[in-house]
Amino acid sequence: MEIVFYIASAIAVAATLLMLTRLNVVHALLYLVISLLAVAIIFYTLGAPFAAALEVIIYAGAIMVLFIFVLMLLNLGEAAVRTEKQWTRPRIWIGPSILAAVLVAEFVYLLTRSQGAGPVAAIGPEAVGISLFGTYLLGVELASMLLLGGLVGAFHLGLRKRTPEKAVEPAQRFTPEVAEPEEVLR
Amino acid sequence: MTSPYPILSIVGILIVVLSIAAGLIWLERRLLALWQDRYGPNRVGPFGLLQVLADMLKIFFKEDWIPPFADKYVFILAPAVIVVTVLLSFAVVPVAPGIIVTDLNIGLLFVLAMSSLGVYSVVLGGWSSDNKYALLGAVRAAAQMLSYEVFMGLSLMGVVLLAGSFDLVRIVEAQRHLWFVVPQFLGFVLFLIAGVAETRRLPFDLPEAESELIAGYHSEYSGMKFGMFFVGEYLGVTLISSLITVLFLGGWNGPVLPPIVWFLLKMFAFICLFILLRAALPRPRFDQLMNLGWKLLLPLALANLLVTGAVVLAKGT
């Protein structure tokens, strides 16, 4: 298990670095997906299979797909890559690199002083559910209220734009002139 | 419970699943022909069975062309994603006692995770082709699969509540006396609809609707890369049919006949249902598809979950 953990961690770090340096935004998102999948494997090796599954379903499978969905609608082409190139000159990396280096130094210092975690026990879905809806019930409810607020807000924004053309029923807009041809065999 | 011969199980399931997927091309053409009062392929070999082999040989020798305007690496990656994710899902499907690749305690979540990653294949295939029809197909696919995935997961939670586990083997064992299709009939119907939408089969094949989008997201694909999308679709049909068998129809449980025969019988019944749907139903408009998903099926799935939870709670105390 330990070797799996180190390989997955290396992949996560490498994929995240590549994600940061890509100019094409879809390639960057694909590296982010790889990074999230590697993090899911890390969760699994650390004894949290439920968190691993949720990481894949929600982050890699739903949120990232939505990102790509929006990018597809924007249809960024070569021009976007050129602008990105202008924005990310080497000079721009200096500040973030210094900050990140300080954090890495602190992290290494803390790691050398820590005793290391004890043996890892796998935590099944039941245990996660019991603690989510027992100990942390208030947090879960607060998070769901926040999400509901976001949902209602998004619905409101979407609705306001569409109101003027709502007079026409969708069925009238798309009335086909010719009958649909029969399904052609492949 | 793990298999006594893991390698044998892996290789066996892989070969059987891939041959079923290939065989489905023949089965679909023959059954469609039957329902449309034609013969279908019946010249090559007995009952036209070798037609599959001939088609495979042909597709391997087709020119494998990558459009110069396409995003080359993503274009190559996309068809592989769907085959890999569907085949990985089969790892947790229990075919018969002892015939399973790995018995995860989050088996059902693993299947849902792989199915949500499968969306990338279609979306990236359409995006990297840099073709407006392919892009339109990919946008439709992304919207459709994201919407239907939501209540696909929710419709299964009733089964999870009744069985008390995400483990597919324990779900099958919990159905020894009563198949979950009886107490969870609504969940079964919802999952069937979501499954058809997830595999992008007719009547939910709007991402490739050939009468309006040429072939949708795989318009630019040729040769074996197109073949991968094709095989991926049949693998998806096989996967959804085996999942319905495992989750709602008691998996390998059944009298007299050996377990594996029961599993295959139930699975093939649903595969035939998938083909019949294609022969019988017209394609809806895209706004109808979205309305159906969000305004009818999602509330039904939530209500089903609520009632099942209440019943389980009342019984437990």
Side-chain angles (χ1 to χ4, degrees):
Chain A
M1 268 320 213
E2 206 158 300
I3 187 87
V4 177
F5 171 81
Y6 283 116
I7 294 172
S9 310
I11 291 174
V13 171
T16 311
L17 285 176
L18 282 166
M19 184 272 281
L20 287 171
T21 51
R22 283 316 87 179
L23 295 176
N24 185 321
V25 107
V26 172
H27 292 178
L29 274 179
L30 283 180
Y31 277 115
L32 186 56
V33 172
I34 299 286
S35 166
L36 290 171
L37 291 180
V39 171
I41 292 178
I42 293 174
F43 275 139
Y44 192 85
T45 56
L46 290 179
F50 193 70
L54 289 190
E55 175 92 11
V56 179
I57 295 177
I58 294 172
Y59 284 98
I63 297 181
M64 286 300 120
V65 174
L66 278 179
F67 273 55
I68 290 190
F69 182 73
V70 172
L71 287 175
M72 281 188 342
L73 291 177
L74 294 178
N75 198 15
L76 305 167
E78 296 290 319
V81 174
R82 273 199 301 279
T83 351
E84 190 78 5
K85 207 172 224 162
Q86 282 173 358
W87 285 347
T88 51
R89 277 168 308 214
R91 202 151 48 91
I92 226 152
W93 293 101
I94 297 172
S97 304
I98 293 172
L99 293 179
V102 173
L103 278 182
V104 167
E106 279 186 349
F107 184 61
V108 170
Y109 173 70
L110 285 178
L111 272 189
T112 49
R113 287 185 37 155
S114 78
Q115 306 298 317
V120 177
I123 295 173
E126 286 105 338
V128 177
I130 287 168
S131 69
L132 268 185
F133 290 97
T135 326
Y136 300 106
L137 182 64
L138 192 64
V140 172
E141 291 302 324
L142 283 176
S144 64
M145 264 182 235
L146 187 66
L147 288 175
L148 185 66
L151 205 65
V152 173
F155 181 73
H156 176 70
L157 289 176
L159 200 67
R160 203 169 49 180
K161 278 202 172 145
R162 238 188 255 159
T163 335
E165 56 167 332
K166 239 203 165 167
V168 189
E169 273 289 297
Q172 290 169 331
R173 270 190 283 151
F174 295 112
T175 314
E177 306 250 311
V178 199
E180 290 267 312
E182 283 282 322
E183 159 81 353
V184 184
L185 252 192
R186 278 188 273 204
Chain B
M1 184 187 75
T2 43
S3 161
Y5 310 102
I7 298 294
L8 205 69
S9 269
I10 295 172
V11 175
I13 287 181
L14 205 59
I15 290 175
V16 169
V17 162
L18 282 172
S19 348
I20 287 179
L24 280 187
I25 301 171
W26 173 81
L27 185 72
E28 168 148 47
R29 291 179 68 185
R30 283 302 296 231
L31 280 180
L32 275 181
L34 186 76
W35 285 316
Q36 292 167 348
D37 209 11
R38 299 182 283 117
Y39 282 120
N42 63 348
R43 297 286 142 163
V44 194
F47 304 107
L49 260 173
L50 294 181
Q51 184 70 43
V52 174
L53 210 64
D55 283 349
M56 265 165 72
L57 278 177
K58 189 182 91 172
I59 209 163
F60 271 116
F61 288 104
K62 284 261 183 180
E63 185 187 0
D64 193 1
W65 186 66
I66 297 175
F69 45 82
D71 190 322
K72 194 175 163 207
Y73 296 106
V74 182
F75 190 83
I76 296 171
L77 177 76
V81 170
I82 189 153
V83 176
V84 169
T85 53
V86 178
L87 282 180
L88 275 176
S89 305
F90 275 103
V92 293
V93 174
V95 179
I99 307 184
I100 179 173
V101 175
T102 173
D103 187 9
L104 278 180
N105 64 348
I106 49 157
L108 192 54
L109 287 177
F110 181 78
V111 173
L112 289 176
M114 286 304 125
S115 126
S116 65
L117 288 183
V119 185
Y120 282 111
S121 171
V122 179
V123 171
L124 292 176
W127 175 81
S128 64
S129 299
D130 202 7
N131 166 324
K132 58 187 158 196
Y133 296 108
L135 189 70
L136 279 173
V139 169
R140 282 185 180 187
Q144 168 182 336
M145 290 173 83
L146 271 177
S147 313
Y148 279 65
E149 218 173 69
V150 175
F151 69 85
M152 183 183 193
L154 282 175
S155 66
L156 295 180
M157 290 308 129
V159 169
V160 174
L161 274 175
L162 290 178
S165 176
F166 283 110
D167 187 338
L168 290 172
V169 174
R170 277 180 59 188
I171 290 176
V172 171
E173 280 167 356
Q175 298 178 72
R176 194 159 288 158
H177 303 297
L178 180 66
W179 293 354
F180 283 154
V181 67
V182 180
Q184 279 295 311
F185 187 72
L186 188 59
F188 163 72
V189 173
L190 289 171
F191 182 70
L192 184 64
I193 297 175
V196 178
E198 280 292 301
T199 47
R200 302 173 303 283
R201 295 275 307 179
L202 248 156
F204 296 129
D205 73 334
L206 284 107
E208 49 174 291
E210 72 284 336
S211 50
E212 36 190 310
L213 293 184
I214 312 179
Y217 60 90
H218 54 50
S219 297
E220 295 289 348
Y221 281 88
S222 60
M224 204 46 215
K225 290 200 190 67
F226 168 74
M228 298 271 266
F229 276 122
F230 209 68
V231 169
E233 183 179 320
Y234 284 114
L235 282 173
V237 171
T238 316
L239 177 69
I240 295 291
S241 302
S242 18
L243 278 180
I244 293 174
T245 305
V246 166
L247 294 167
F248 294 101
L249 289 180
W252 65 68
N253 288 319
V256 188
L257 295 171
I260 191 159
V261 176
W262 270 112
F263 182 89
L264 289 175
L265 270 179
K266 294 170 186 172
M267 190 185 82
F268 269 106
F270 278 99
I271 291 177
C272 293
L273 179 70
F274 266 80
I275 297 171
L276 180 61
L277 283 180
R278 176 174 173 184
L281 292 177
R283 188 184 297 135
R285 253 184 5 238
F286 198 70
D287 58 322
Q288 292 172 332
L289 180 87
M290 285 288 137
N291 279 344
L292 179 75
W294 287 107
K295 293 184 183 164
L296 180 68
L297 300 175
L298 180 65
L300 274 180
L302 285 171
N304 180 44
L305 182 59
L306 199 69
V307 171
T308 312
V311 169
V312 169
L313 194 68
K315 267 190 184 170
T317 49

